[in-house]
Coordinates of all heavy atoms in Angstrom, one line a residue:
Chain B
I148 N -97.1 -2.2 79.7 CA -98.6 -2.0 79.6 C -99.3 -3.2 80.3 O -100.3 -3.0 81.1 CB -99.0 -1.9 78.1 CG1 -98.4 -0.7 77.5 CG2 -100.5 -2.0 78.0 CD1 -98.6 -0.5 76.0
V149 N -98.8 -4.4 80.1 CA -99.4 -5.6 80.7 C -99.3 -5.4 82.2 O -100.3 -5.7 82.9 CB -98.6 -6.9 80.3 CG1 -99.0 -8.0 81.2 CG2 -98.9 -7.2 78.8
A150 N -98.2 -5.0 82.8 CA -98.1 -4.8 84.2 C -99.1 -3.8 84.7 O -99.8 -4.1 85.7 CB -96.7 -4.4 84.6
A151 N -99.2 -2.7 84.0 CA -100.1 -1.7 84.5 C -101.6 -2.1 84.4 O -102.4 -1.7 85.1 CB -99.9 -0.4 83.7
H152 N -101.8 -3.0 83.4 CA -103.2 -3.4 83.2 C -103.6 -4.4 84.3 O -104.7 -4.3 84.9 CB -103.4 -4.1 81.8 CG -104.8 -4.5 81.6 ND1 -105.8 -3.6 81.3 CD2 -105.4 -5.7 81.6 CE1 -107.0 -4.3 81.1 NE2 -106.7 -5.6 81.3
F153 N -102.8 -5.4 84.5 CA -103.2 -6.5 85.4 C -102.9 -6.2 86.9 O -103.5 -6.7 87.8 CB -102.5 -7.8 85.0 CG -103.1 -8.4 83.8 CD1 -102.4 -8.3 82.6 CD2 -104.4 -8.9 83.7 CE1 -102.9 -8.8 81.4 CE2 -104.9 -9.4 82.5 CZ -104.1 -9.4 81.4
R154 N -101.9 -5.3 87.1 CA -101.4 -5.0 88.4 C -101.2 -6.3 89.2 O -100.8 -7.3 88.6 CB -102.5 -4.1 89.2 CG -103.1 -3.0 88.4 CD -102.4 -1.6 88.5 NE -101.4 -1.4 89.5 CZ -101.4 -0.4 90.3 NH1 -102.3 0.5 90.3 NH2 -100.4 -0.2 91.1
G155 N -101.3 -6.2 90.5 CA -101.2 -7.4 91.3 C -99.9 -8.1 91.1 O -98.8 -7.5 91.0
W156 N -99.9 -9.5 91.1 CA -98.6 -10.2 91.0 C -97.9 -10.1 89.7 O -96.7 -10.1 89.6 CB -98.9 -11.7 91.3 CG -99.7 -12.4 90.3 CD1 -101.1 -12.6 90.3 CD2 -99.2 -13.1 89.1 NE1 -101.5 -13.3 89.2 CE2 -100.4 -13.6 88.5 CE3 -98.0 -13.3 88.6 CZ2 -100.3 -14.3 87.3 CZ3 -97.9 -14.0 87.4 CH2 -99.0 -14.5 86.8
V157 N -98.7 -9.8 88.6 CA -98.0 -9.6 87.3 C -97.1 -8.4 87.4 O -95.9 -8.5 87.0 CB -99.1 -9.4 86.2 CG1 -98.4 -9.1 84.9 CG2 -100.1 -10.5 86.1
E158 N -97.6 -7.4 88.0 CA -96.8 -6.2 88.2 C -95.5 -6.5 89.1 O -94.4 -6.0 88.8 CB -97.6 -5.1 88.8 CG -97.0 -3.7 88.7 CD -98.0 -2.6 89.2 OE1 -98.9 -3.0 90.0 OE2 -97.9 -1.5 88.8
E159 N -95.8 -7.2 90.1 CA -94.7 -7.6 91.1 C -93.6 -8.3 90.3 O -92.4 -8.0 90.5 CB -95.2 -8.5 92.2 CG -96.0 -7.8 93.2 CD -95.2 -6.9 94.1 OE1 -94.0 -7.3 94.4 OE2 -95.6 -5.7 94.4
V160 N -94.0 -9.3 89.5 CA -93.0 -10.1 88.8 C -92.2 -9.2 87.8 O -91.0 -9.2 87.7 CB -93.7 -11.2 88.0 CG1 -92.7 -11.8 87.0 CG2 -94.2 -12.2 89.0
L161 N -92.9 -8.3 87.2 CA -92.2 -7.4 86.2 C -91.2 -6.5 86.9 O -90.1 -6.4 86.5 CB -93.2 -6.5 85.5 CG -92.5 -5.7 84.5 CD1 -92.3 -6.3 83.1 CD2 -93.1 -4.3 84.3
M162 N -91.7 -5.9 88.0 CA -90.8 -5.0 88.8 C -89.5 -5.8 89.3 O -88.4 -5.3 89.3 CB -91.5 -4.3 89.9 CG -92.6 -3.4 89.5 SD -92.3 -2.5 87.9 CE -91.3 -1.2 88.5
M163 N -89.8 -7.1 89.6 CA -88.6 -7.9 90.0 C -87.7 -8.1 88.9 O -86.5 -8.0 89.0 CB -89.2 -9.2 90.6 CG -88.2 -10.0 91.3 SD -88.6 -11.7 91.3 CE -88.4 -12.1 89.5
L164 N -88.3 -8.4 87.7 CA -87.4 -8.6 86.5 C -86.6 -7.3 86.2 O -85.4 -7.4 85.8 CB -88.3 -8.9 85.3 CG -88.7 -10.4 85.2 CD1 -89.6 -10.6 84.0 CD2 -87.5 -11.3 85.2
V165 N -87.2 -6.2 86.4 CA -86.5 -4.9 86.2 C -85.4 -4.8 87.2 O -84.2 -4.5 86.8 CB -87.5 -3.7 86.4 CG1 -86.7 -2.4 86.5 CG2 -88.5 -3.7 85.3
D166 N -85.6 -5.2 88.5 CA -84.5 -5.2 89.4 C -83.4 -6.1 89.0 O -82.2 -5.7 89.1 CB -85.0 -5.7 90.8 CG -85.8 -4.6 91.6 OD1 -85.7 -3.5 91.1 OD2 -86.3 -4.9 92.6
V167 N -83.7 -7.3 88.5 CA -82.7 -8.2 88.1 C -81.9 -7.6 86.9 O -80.7 -7.6 86.9 CB -83.4 -9.5 87.6 CG1 -82.4 -10.4 86.9 CG2 -84.0 -10.3 88.8
Q168 N -82.6 -7.0 86.0 CA -81.9 -6.5 84.8 C -81.0 -5.4 85.2 O -79.9 -5.3 84.7 CB -83.0 -5.9 83.8 CG -82.4 -5.2 82.6 CD -81.8 -6.2 81.7 OE1 -82.5 -7.0 81.0 NE2 -80.5 -6.3 81.7
V169 N -81.4 -4.6 86.2 CA -80.6 -3.4 86.6 C -79.4 -3.9 87.3 O -78.3 -3.2 87.3 CB -81.5 -2.4 87.4 CG1 -80.6 -1.4 88.1 CG2 -82.5 -1.8 86.5
S170 N -79.5 -5.0 88.0 CA -78.3 -5.4 88.8 C -77.2 -6.1 88.1 O -76.1 -6.3 88.7 CB -78.8 -6.3 90.0 OG -79.3 -7.5 89.4
L171 N -77.4 -6.4 86.8 CA -76.2 -6.9 86.1 C -76.0 -6.0 84.9 O -76.8 -6.0 84.0 CB -76.6 -8.3 85.6 CG -75.4 -9.1 84.9 CD1 -74.2 -9.2 85.9 CD2 -75.9 -10.5 84.5
P172 N -74.8 -5.4 84.9 CA -74.5 -4.5 83.7 C -74.7 -5.3 82.4 O -74.2 -6.4 82.3 CB -73.0 -4.2 83.9 CG -72.8 -4.3 85.4 CD -73.7 -5.4 85.8
F173 N -75.5 -4.7 81.5 CA -75.9 -5.4 80.4 C -74.8 -6.0 79.5 O -74.9 -7.1 79.0 CB -76.9 -4.6 79.5 CG -77.6 -5.5 78.5 CD1 -78.8 -6.2 78.9 CD2 -77.2 -5.6 77.2 CE1 -79.4 -7.0 78.0 CE2 -77.9 -6.4 76.3 CZ -79.0 -7.1 76.8
I174 N -73.8 -5.2 79.4 CA -72.7 -5.7 78.5 C -72.1 -7.0 79.0 O -71.7 -7.9 78.2 CB -71.7 -4.6 78.2 CG1 -70.7 -5.1 77.1 CG2 -70.9 -4.3 79.5 CD1 -70.0 -4.0 76.4
I175 N -72.0 -7.2 80.3 CA -71.5 -8.4 80.8 C -72.4 -9.6 80.5 O -71.9 -10.6 80.1 CB -71.3 -8.2 82.4 CG1 -70.2 -7.2 82.6 CG2 -71.0 -9.5 83.0 CD1 -69.9 -6.9 84.1
F176 N -73.7 -9.4 80.7 CA -74.6 -10.4 80.3 C -74.5 -10.7 78.9 O -74.4 -11.9 78.5 CB -76.0 -9.9 80.7 CG -77.1 -10.8 80.2 CD1 -77.5 -11.9 80.9 CD2 -77.9 -10.4 79.1 CE1 -78.5 -12.7 80.5 CE2 -78.9 -11.3 78.6 CZ -79.2 -12.4 79.3
A177 N -74.5 -9.7 78.0 CA -74.4 -9.9 76.6 C -73.1 -10.7 76.2 O -73.2 -11.6 75.4 CB -74.5 -8.6 75.8
L178 N -72.0 -10.3 76.7 CA -70.8 -11.0 76.4 C -70.8 -12.5 76.8 O -70.5 -13.3 76.0 CB -69.6 -10.3 77.1 CG -69.1 -9.0 76.6 CD1 -68.2 -8.3 77.6 CD2 -68.5 -9.2 75.2
A179 N -71.4 -12.7 78.0 CA -71.4 -14.1 78.5 C -72.3 -14.9 77.6 O -72.0 -16.0 77.1 CB -71.9 -14.2 79.9
V180 N -73.5 -14.4 77.3 CA -74.5 -15.1 76.4 C -73.9 -15.4 75.1 O -73.9 -16.6 74.6 CB -75.8 -14.4 76.3 CG1 -76.7 -15.0 75.2 CG2 -76.5 -14.3 77.6
L181 N -73.3 -14.4 74.4 CA -72.8 -14.6 73.1 C -71.6 -15.6 73.1 O -71.5 -16.4 72.2 CB -72.3 -13.2 72.5 CG -73.5 -12.3 72.1 CD1 -72.9 -10.9 71.8 CD2 -74.3 -12.9 71.0
A182 N -70.8 -15.5 74.1 CA -69.7 -16.5 74.2 C -70.1 -17.9 74.4 O -69.6 -18.8 73.8 CB -68.7 -16.0 75.3
F183 N -71.1 -18.1 75.2 CA -71.5 -19.4 75.6 C -72.5 -20.0 74.6 O -72.4 -21.1 74.2 CB -72.0 -19.5 77.0 CG -71.0 -19.6 78.0 CD1 -70.2 -18.5 78.3 CD2 -70.7 -20.8 78.7 CE1 -69.2 -18.6 79.3 CE2 -69.7 -20.9 79.6 CZ -68.9 -19.8 79.9
V184 N -73.6 -19.2 74.4 CA -74.7 -19.8 73.6 C -74.3 -19.8 72.1 O -74.9 -20.5 71.3 CB -75.9 -18.9 73.8 CG1 -77.1 -19.4 72.9 CG2 -76.3 -18.9 75.2
G185 N -73.3 -19.1 71.7 CA -72.9 -19.1 70.4 C -73.4 -17.9 69.7 O -74.1 -17.1 70.3
N186 N -73.0 -17.7 68.5 CA -73.1 -16.4 67.9 C -73.6 -16.4 66.5 O -72.9 -16.9 65.6 CB -71.7 -15.7 67.9 CG -71.8 -14.3 67.6 OD1 -72.4 -13.9 66.6 ND2 -71.3 -13.4 68.4
S187 N -74.8 -16.0 66.3 CA -75.3 -15.8 64.9 C -75.9 -14.4 64.9 O -76.1 -13.8 65.9 CB -76.4 -16.8 64.6 OG -77.5 -16.5 65.4
L188 N -76.2 -13.9 63.7 CA -76.7 -12.6 63.6 C -78.0 -12.5 64.4 O -78.3 -11.5 65.0 CB -76.9 -12.2 62.1 CG -77.2 -10.8 61.8 CD1 -76.1 -9.9 62.4 CD2 -77.4 -10.5 60.4
T189 N -78.8 -13.5 64.3 CA -80.1 -13.5 65.0 C -79.9 -13.3 66.5 O -80.5 -12.5 67.1 CB -80.9 -14.8 64.7 OG1 -80.7 -15.1 63.3 CG2 -82.4 -14.6 65.0
I190 N -79.1 -14.2 67.0 CA -78.8 -14.1 68.5 C -78.3 -12.7 68.8 O -78.7 -12.1 69.8 CB -77.9 -15.2 68.9 CG1 -78.5 -16.6 68.7 CG2 -77.5 -15.1 70.4 CD1 -77.6 -17.7 69.1
L191 N -77.4 -12.2 68.0 CA -76.8 -10.9 68.3 C -77.9 -9.9 68.4 O -77.9 -9.0 69.3 CB -75.7 -10.6 67.3 CG -75.1 -9.2 67.4 CD1 -74.3 -9.2 68.7 CD2 -74.2 -8.9 66.3
I192 N -78.8 -9.9 67.4 CA -79.8 -8.9 67.3 C -80.7 -9.0 68.5 O -81.1 -8.0 69.1 CB -80.6 -9.0 66.0 CG1 -79.7 -8.5 64.8 CG2 -81.8 -8.1 66.0 CD1 -80.4 -8.5 63.5
I193 N -81.1 -10.2 68.9 CA -82.0 -10.4 70.0 C -81.3 -9.9 71.3 O -81.9 -9.1 72.1 CB -82.4 -11.9 70.2 CG1 -83.2 -12.3 69.0 CG2 -83.1 -12.1 71.5 CD1 -83.6 -13.7 69.0
V194 N -80.0 -10.3 71.5 CA -79.3 -9.8 72.7 C -79.3 -8.3 72.8 O -79.6 -7.7 73.8 CB -77.9 -10.5 72.7 CG1 -77.1 -9.8 73.8 CG2 -78.0 -11.9 73.0
V195 N -78.8 -7.7 71.6 CA -78.7 -6.3 71.6 C -80.1 -5.6 71.8 O -80.3 -4.6 72.4 CB -78.1 -5.8 70.2 CG1 -78.3 -4.3 70.0 CG2 -76.7 -6.2 70.2
G196 N -81.2 -6.3 71.3 CA -82.5 -5.8 71.4 C -83.0 -5.8 72.9 O -83.8 -4.9 73.3
I197 N -82.6 -6.8 73.6 CA -83.1 -6.8 75.0 C -82.6 -5.6 75.8 O -83.2 -5.1 76.7 CB -82.6 -8.1 75.7 CG1 -83.3 -9.3 75.0 CG2 -83.0 -8.1 77.2 CD1 -82.7 -10.6 75.5
D198 N -81.4 -5.1 75.4 CA -80.8 -4.0 76.2 C -81.8 -2.8 76.3 O -82.4 -2.4 75.3 CB -79.6 -3.5 75.5 CG -78.9 -2.3 76.2 OD1 -79.0 -2.3 77.4 OD2 -78.3 -1.5 75.6
G199 N -82.0 -2.4 77.5 CA -82.8 -1.2 77.7 C -84.3 -1.4 77.8 O -85.1 -0.5 78.0
W200 N -84.8 -2.7 77.7 CA -86.2 -2.9 77.8 C -86.8 -2.4 79.0 O -88.0 -1.9 79.1 CB -86.5 -4.4 77.6 CG -86.1 -5.2 78.8 CD1 -84.9 -5.8 79.1 CD2 -86.9 -5.5 80.0 NE1 -84.9 -6.4 80.3 CE2 -86.1 -6.3 80.9 CE3 -88.2 -5.2 80.4 CZ2 -86.6 -6.7 82.1 CZ3 -88.7 -5.6 81.6 CH2 -87.9 -6.4 82.5
E201 N -86.0 -2.5 80.1 CA -86.6 -2.1 81.4 C -87.0 -0.6 81.5 O -87.9 -0.2 82.2 CB -85.7 -2.5 82.6 CG -84.5 -1.6 82.9 CD -83.3 -1.8 82.0 OE1 -83.4 -2.7 81.0 OE2 -82.3 -1.1 82.1
R202 N -86.2 0.2 80.7 CA -86.6 1.6 80.7 C -87.9 1.9 80.0 O -88.7 2.6 80.6 CB -85.5 2.4 79.9 CG -84.4 2.9 80.8 CD -83.2 3.4 80.1 NE -82.3 2.3 79.9 CZ -81.2 2.4 79.2 NH1 -80.9 3.5 78.5 NH2 -80.3 1.4 79.2
Y203 N -88.2 1.2 78.9 CA -89.5 1.4 78.3 C -90.6 0.8 79.2 O -91.7 1.3 79.3 CB -89.6 0.6 77.0 CG -88.6 1.1 76.0 CD1 -87.4 0.3 75.8 CD2 -88.8 2.2 75.2 CE1 -86.5 0.7 74.9 CE2 -87.8 2.6 74.3 CZ -86.7 1.8 74.1 OH -85.8 2.2 73.2
A204 N -90.3 -0.4 79.9 CA -91.3 -1.0 80.7 C -91.7 -0.1 81.9 O -92.9 0.1 82.1 CB -90.7 -2.3 81.3
R205 N -90.7 0.5 82.5 CA -91.0 1.4 83.6 C -91.9 2.6 83.1 O -92.9 3.0 83.7 CB -89.7 2.0 84.2 CG -89.1 1.1 85.2 CD -88.0 1.9 85.8 NE -87.2 1.1 86.7 CZ -85.9 1.3 86.9 NH1 -85.3 2.3 86.2 NH2 -85.2 0.6 87.7
L206 N -91.4 3.2 82.0 CA -92.0 4.3 81.5 C -93.5 4.0 81.1 O -94.4 4.7 81.5 CB -91.3 4.8 80.3 CG -91.4 6.2 79.8 CD1 -90.8 7.1 80.9 CD2 -90.5 6.4 78.6
A207 N -93.7 2.9 80.3 CA -95.0 2.6 79.8 C -95.9 2.3 81.0 O -97.0 2.7 81.1 CB -94.9 1.4 78.9
R208 N -95.4 1.6 82.0 CA -96.2 1.2 83.1 C -96.7 2.5 83.8 O -97.9 2.6 84.1 CB -95.4 0.4 84.1 CG -96.1 0.1 85.4 CD -95.3 -0.7 86.4 NE -95.7 -0.5 87.7 CZ -95.3 0.4 88.5 NH1 -94.4 1.3 88.1 NH2 -95.8 0.6 89.7
S209 N -95.8 3.4 84.1 CA -96.2 4.5 84.9 C -97.2 5.4 84.1 O -98.1 6.0 84.6 CB -95.1 5.3 85.4 OG -94.4 6.0 84.4
M210 N -96.9 5.5 82.7 CA -97.8 6.3 81.9 C -99.2 5.7 81.8 O -100.2 6.4 81.8 CB -97.2 6.5 80.6 CG -96.1 7.6 80.6 SD -95.6 8.1 78.9 CE -95.2 6.6 78.2
V211 N -99.2 4.3 81.7 CA -100.6 3.7 81.5 C -101.3 3.8 82.8 O -102.5 4.1 82.9 CB -100.4 2.2 81.1 CG1 -101.7 1.5 81.2 CG2 -99.8 2.2 79.7
L212 N -100.6 3.7 84.0 CA -101.3 3.8 85.3 C -101.9 5.2 85.3 O -103.1 5.3 85.8 CB -100.3 3.6 86.4 CG -99.8 2.2 86.7 CD1 -98.9 2.2 87.9 CD2 -101.0 1.3 87.0
T213 N -101.2 6.2 84.9 CA -101.8 7.6 84.9 C -103.0 7.7 84.0 O -104.0 8.2 84.3 CB -100.7 8.6 84.5 OG1 -99.5 8.2 85.1 CG2 -101.1 10.0 85.0
A214 N -102.7 7.2 82.7 CA -103.8 7.3 81.7 C -105.1 6.6 82.2 O -106.2 7.1 82.0 CB -103.3 6.7 80.4
N215 N -104.9 5.4 82.8 CA -106.1 4.7 83.2 C -106.9 5.4 84.3 O -108.1 5.1 84.5 CB -105.7 3.3 83.7 CG -105.4 2.3 82.6 OD1 -105.8 2.6 81.5 ND2 -104.8 1.2 82.9
Q216 N -106.3 6.3 84.9 CA -107.0 7.1 85.9 C -107.7 8.3 85.3 O -108.6 8.9 85.9 CB -106.1 7.7 87.0 CG -105.4 6.6 87.9 CD -106.5 5.7 88.5 OE1 -107.4 6.2 89.1 NE2 -106.3 4.4 88.3
Q217 N -107.4 8.6 84.0 CA -108.0 9.7 83.4 C -109.5 9.6 83.1 O -109.9 8.5 82.8 CB -107.3 10.0 82.0 CG -106.8 11.4 81.9 CD -105.3 11.5 82.1 OE1 -104.6 11.1 81.2 NE2 -104.9 12.1 83.2
D218 N -110.2 10.7 83.3 CA -111.6 10.6 83.2 C -112.1 10.0 81.9 O -113.0 9.1 81.9 CB -112.2 12.0 83.3 CG -112.1 12.5 84.7 OD1 -111.9 11.6 85.6 OD2 -112.2 13.7 85.0
Y219 N -111.5 10.4 80.8 CA -112.0 9.9 79.5 C -111.9 8.4 79.4 O -112.7 7.8 78.8 CB -111.5 10.7 78.3 CG -110.0 10.4 78.0 CD1 -109.8 9.4 77.0 CD2 -109.0 11.0 78.6 CE1 -108.5 9.1 76.7 CE2 -107.7 10.7 78.3 CZ -107.4 9.7 77.4 OH -106.2 9.4 77.1

Side-chain angles (χ1 to χ4, degrees):
Chain B
I148 294 173
V149 168
H152 181 76
F153 290 107
R154 317 265 352 226
W156 66 268
V157 180
E158 194 176 25
E159 285 290 319
V160 168
L161 181 90
M162 292 329 274
M163 193 205 67
L164 281 178
V165 169
D166 279 353
V167 168
Q168 178 69 76
V169 168
S170 62
L171 186 59
F173 193 81
I174 188 156
I175 291 177
F176 173 77
L178 285 169
V180 169
L181 289 172
F183 278 74
V184 180
N186 190 307
S187 69
L188 191 57
T189 321
I190 296 181
L191 179 64
I192 291 182
I193 292 175
V194 166
V195 167
I197 296 173
D198 181 32
W200 71 271
E201 82 277 2
R202 264 166 270 172
Y203 302 98
R205 276 190 185 148
L206 203 61
R208 172 180 159 273
S209 72
M210 283 192 303
V211 171
L212 285 181
T213 321
N215 281 346
Q216 293 306 308
Q217 229 105 71
D218 288 342
Y219 73 94

